[in-house]
């Protein structure tokens, strides 16, 4: 998918996104909290890709939730 709206219309991509979020929980690398007043937040986005086999067939969908840097 080119964006989150397209991904949310496909159950396979929804499962891939859930798997990505589950990895964060299992690794205990983040905790979701309320944003403190007058504090900026770190941007984030989903990055979508397909894992292919040697014959270029899609083996699985991969969705990564990543931080966006500031410029």
């Amino acid at each position: 998918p080119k964006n989150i709206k397209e991904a949310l219309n496909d159950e396979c991509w929804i499962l891939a996104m859930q798997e990505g979020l589950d990895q964060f929980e299992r690794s205990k690398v983040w905790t979701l909290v309320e944003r403190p007043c007058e504090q900026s937040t770190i941007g984030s986005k989903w990055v979508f890709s397909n894992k292919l086999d040697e014959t270029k067939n899609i083996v699985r969908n991969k969705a990564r939730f990543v931080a966006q840097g500031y410029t």
Side-chain angles (χ1 to χ4, degrees):
K2 295 185 190 284
N3 57 48
I4 187 70
K5 192 173 183 178
E6 287 181 19
L8 290 174
N9 288 324
D10 186 335
E11 188 175 336
C12 293
W13 283 111
I14 292 171
L15 292 173
M17 289 187 291
Q18 186 60 55
E19 184 179 318
L21 292 174
D22 290 344
Q23 280 184 323
F24 282 135
E25 192 172 307
R26 282 192 304 271
S27 301
K28 299 182 182 181
V29 295
W30 77 335
T31 303
L32 188 60
V33 297
E34 295 276 334
R35 183 178 62 87
C37 294
E38 300 180 21
Q39 292 289 319
S40 59
T41 58
I42 298 171
S44 59
K45 66 179 182 177
W46 284 99
V47 177
F48 302 103
S49 61
N50 291 322
K51 186 168 181 160
L52 307 174
D53 65 10
E54 60 279 346
T55 60
K56 306 290 184 190
N57 292 320
I58 297 173
V59 176
R60 87 178 236 231
N61 297 327
K62 293 181 76 173
R64 292 179 291 142
F65 192 61
V66 297
Q68 281 183 281
Y70 294 104
T71 56

